[in-house]
Amino acid sequence: MNDLLLNPFSPEGRATLGTWGVCPNVKRSRTRRWVAFSGGWCFLLLALLHTVIDMTHLRTRAFPLVVFGMNSIAACCMDHLFGGFISDALHTHLPTALFGPLGDPTESFVRGALVRLIL
């Protein structure tokens, strides 16, 4: 019973979080509240990364992220232009057990990760 009170996915857990004043934000992605909530987290993450990477001069460790950020349009175009071809080639030439080691839900994740790794 104690596990149910701390589980945010159970009704008891949501009631417990509600009494503590924590309101889980379970909203559709296009509401004003969700846009403000996710935008706030994006700005906090941006401020944290700016502090860690730029102000402490750790740009060498974040070099792949810097390159991807400078070429984001090229990366998006390459994903849309070549992603399907690479995904089909991987599916043809690699064993099927490699794509879904934990079952069907992980197949698309593993395939997408391999495509991004190649691009």
Side-chain angles (χ1 to χ4, degrees), residues 23-66:
C23 178
N25 197 350
V26 183
K27 301 288 280 180
R28 299 181 84 185
S29 63
R30 294 186 182 174
T31 60
R32 283 177 268 149
R33 177 180 172 168
W34 178 254
V35 170
F37 177 77
S38 63
W41 278 106
C42 288
F43 279 122
L44 284 174
L45 183 63
L46 179 66
L48 175 74
L49 289 175
H50 172 68
T51 303
V52 169
I53 293 171
D54 290 336
M55 298 181 95
T56 58
H57 304 292
L58 293 175
R59 268 185 92 117
T60 55
R61 292 185 183 211
F63 183 72
L65 296 175
V66 171

